[in-house]
Amino acid sequence: MKILAIDDQQLVLLPLEKRLQESGYDIMTSTQANEAITIFKEFKPDLLIIDINMPHANGLEIIRTIRKEMKDETPIMVLSGNTDESLIVESFELGIQDFMKKPLSLDEVSARVKRLIGTVGNAIKKPLSQNSILQNRCVGVVIPCYNEENRLKSKEFIDFVERNSGYHLCFVNDGSTDKTIDVLQKLKEGREHYISIYDCDKNGGKAEAVRQGLLHISKFDDLDYVGFLDADLSTDFEDFDDLVKTIESTDFQIVNGSRISRMGANITKESARKVISMTINFIIVSILGMPFKDTQCGAKIMRKELIPIAFDKPFITKWLFDVEIFMRMKNHFGKQKAQEIICEQPLKRWIHADGSKLSMRDSMQIGFQLFKIHAEYSFKKDDNKKVRDLKPESRSTISVQPQNVD
């Protein structure tokens, strides 16, 4: 039995394709929604699975063409994050057999497919791959790495991408002098669609590694949101996924993790480090003029449309680039608007990991670097105010030309 699945986001199609192939179906997938009718006629599937909201084609129009013009009665299953009741009703009136609302599990999809077209008699009897959730959004995450050969938690990263669809992890090797690149290559092997490596020839510091990584993945068409996370996973994936859930369900443009000690949370820091952090944050809040609790948390998620505003130019500091991001947002949108579109979300867990790349010399320069940031951003106007209000629009096609990207 043949199944054709059409969705503009490859990160949604890949786990679906794998699961249905394991169940014995002959499946073809395509992200070219504008060619759906041609592919449908050539492949002649026994079942069509299609998304409705796609940038270059209207799923309802494709269904209408198949049912009204072609007079074809092939079973059609809609897989969509759009839960508008009128759209669902119209889909059934056009003759679809099922409507599945994202997010949903692969196990549920498999059960619905079997109900519609039955099972494949000659399917190989073997355990199916791990169940995962088909999401309604796709997220690119940059993980900067410098000499992480002995600290990188490869198993945790692998487990996460196998359990959670819709994520692409981009590891940036920031000119490591140990065998970090070998560890990353092994991590990527067999998972090329979900994991990529951006290799920098020279160590440029965390700020530039994050910037280059985000400029790189901003070219991926199927990503809705992008962000970054520390390689030591001091902020775990459960908390990061909560940040994503917040940005996709609100009008916030940036959601910033915040390491606030509070009842019910597991936030651990060394006493001296905590005092230093509080002092630095007091200075940062004074410079920004916005009531941030924690700008320096290494977990942030943002809409992809913000990349040209926040990351087009190199940062002037290696470690305080988070402050620069918010200064750029403030200069671009204005203080009031910036405070409306940036959300701080407390983490449930954050544990300081040994092996910080922040040297004593860097620490002693923090005060001077904050002064540089204040001077650079407080007395210069943003000359890139092209858009004052960014609407939360999925799968933007804004083109970004990264610097020094192969």
Side-chain angles (χ1 to χ4, degrees), residues 79 210 231:
L79 178 65
V210 169

Side-chain angles (χ1 to χ4, degrees), residues 214-216 218-219 304 307-308 311-312 397-402:
L214 286 172
L215 287 174
H216 175 61
S218 70
K219 298 184 295 181
K304 196 169 70 171
I307 297 298
F311 296 94
D312 63 331
T397 56
I398 292 177
S399 176
V400 180
Q401 296 297 325

Side-chain angles (χ1 to χ4, degrees), residues 315-328:
F315 296 105
I316 63 175
T317 62
K318 288 185 177 182
W319 297 102
L320 296 169
F321 69 98
D322 308 74
V323 182
E324 294 191 58
I325 291 172
F326 295 128
M327 289 296 281
R328 290 177 181 186

Side-chain angles (χ1 to χ4, degrees), residues 353-385:
D354 293 332
S356 173
K357 304 302 187 301
L358 183 65
S359 67
M360 180 61 68
R361 180 181 177 183
D362 291 323
S363 299
M364 294 178 66
Q365 291 181 345
I366 286 178
F368 174 70
Q369 290 181 344
L370 286 172
F371 175 78
K372 283 180 62 178
I373 291 173
H374 177 64
E376 176 71 18
Y377 292 97
S378 296
F379 304 107
K380 291 186 179 181
K381 293 183 178 180
D382 180 16
D383 57 358
N384 188 33
K385 292 186 178 181

Side-chain angles (χ1 to χ4, degrees), residues 27-238:
I27 180 167
M28 173 182 283
T29 62
S30 176
T31 58
Q32 305 303 313
N34 55 337
E35 300 176 6
I37 297 300
T38 300
I39 297 172
F40 180 86
K41 290 178 179 178
E42 293 176 353
F43 188 58
K44 295 180 171 52
D46 297 295
L47 172 66
L48 171 64
I49 301 177
I50 188 169
D51 192 5
I52 286 184
N53 296 111
M54 296 176 284
H56 306 296
N58 185 318
L60 281 180
E61 289 303 318
I62 294 171
I63 295 170
R64 185 175 288 107
T65 298
I66 292 173
R67 289 289 190 255
K68 303 297 183 182
E69 297 181 18
M70 296 172 57
K71 308 296 182 183
D72 191 294
E73 297 301 321
T74 298
I76 297 176
M77 178 184 291
V78 170
L79 178 65
S80 178
N82 194 326
T83 57
D84 180 79
E85 185 176 344
S86 61
L87 183 143
I88 297 173
V89 171
E90 184 177 1
S91 298
F92 279 106
E93 288 177 345
L94 286 173
I96 70 168
Q97 275 65 39
D98 202 352
F99 192 107
M100 299 180 291
K101 301 177 183 179
K102 300 177 189 173
L104 77 165
S105 72
L106 284 175
D107 286 347
E108 181 180 344
V109 176
S110 296
R112 289 172 180 261
V113 169
K114 290 176 183 178
R115 180 182 63 82
L116 279 179
I117 62 175
T119 59
V120 180
N122 61 350
I124 300 175
K125 301 297 182 181
K126 62 179 182 179
L128 298 175
S129 58
Q130 185 175 4
N131 185 36
S132 64
I133 304 299
L134 295 180
Q135 298 289 351
N136 188 37
R137 54 16 179 202
C138 292
V139 183
V141 186
V142 168
I143 301 103
C145 301
Y146 177 65
N147 290 348
E148 297 288 350
E149 174 188 356
N150 298 317
R151 292 207 314 164
L152 199 69
K153 299 177 180 179
S154 297
K155 184 180 185 303
E156 281 85 344
F157 287 111
I158 292 171
D159 288 346
F160 180 77
V161 295
E162 289 182 349
R163 289 196 313 267
N164 299 270
S165 70
Y167 274 94
H168 182 95
L169 307 183
C170 176
F171 292 88
V172 179
N173 180 38
D174 187 24
S176 298
T177 57
D178 64 357
K179 295 182 180 179
T180 293
I181 189 65
D182 296 333
V183 174
L184 294 178
Q185 291 289 2
K186 185 176 180 180
L187 182 62
K188 174 185 173 183
E189 187 176 349
R191 306 175 186 89
E192 288 78 5
H193 293 296
Y194 310 106
I195 296 175
S196 61
I197 301 170
Y198 186 86
D199 195 15
C200 301
D201 293 333
K202 297 180 181 179
N203 175 244
K206 182 180 178 181
E208 186 61 11
V210 169
R211 192 180 80 89
Q212 289 291 348
L214 286 172
L215 287 174
H216 175 61
I217 65 173
S218 70
K219 298 184 295 181
F220 296 10
D221 289 336
D222 61 346
L223 297 181
D224 300 304
Y225 311 106
V226 294
F228 53 92
L229 189 64
D230 288 337
D232 60 16
L233 291 180
S234 51
T235 299
D236 68 6
F237 276 119
E238 183 178 352

Side-chain angles (χ1 to χ4, degrees), residues 193-286:
H193 293 296
Y194 310 106
I195 296 175
S196 61
I197 301 170
Y198 186 86
D199 195 15
C200 301
D201 293 333
K202 297 180 181 179
N203 175 244
K206 182 180 178 181
E208 186 61 11
V210 169
R211 192 180 80 89
Q212 289 291 348
L214 286 172
L215 287 174
H216 175 61
I217 65 173
S218 70
K219 298 184 295 181
F220 296 10
D221 289 336
D222 61 346
L223 297 181
D224 300 304
Y225 311 106
V226 294
F228 53 92
L229 189 64
D230 288 337
D232 60 16
L233 291 180
S234 51
T235 299
D236 68 6
F237 276 119
E238 183 178 352
D239 264 328
F240 190 84
D241 198 50
D242 285 343
L243 302 184
V244 174
K245 290 174 182 176
T246 296
I247 199 169
E248 70 173 327
S249 61
T250 67
D251 290 333
F252 291 121
Q253 306 283 334
I254 296 178
V255 180
N256 178 62
S258 185
R259 300 161 295 181
I260 302 173
S261 296
R262 69 194 194 288
M263 188 165 59
N266 183 17
I267 309 295
T268 64
K269 293 184 183 181
E270 301 165 3
S271 297
R273 188 180 180 90
K274 185 174 181 179
V275 172
I276 294 172
S277 296
M278 291 175 63
T279 303
I280 292 173
N281 195 66
F282 175 79
I283 300 172
I284 290 172
V285 170
S286 299

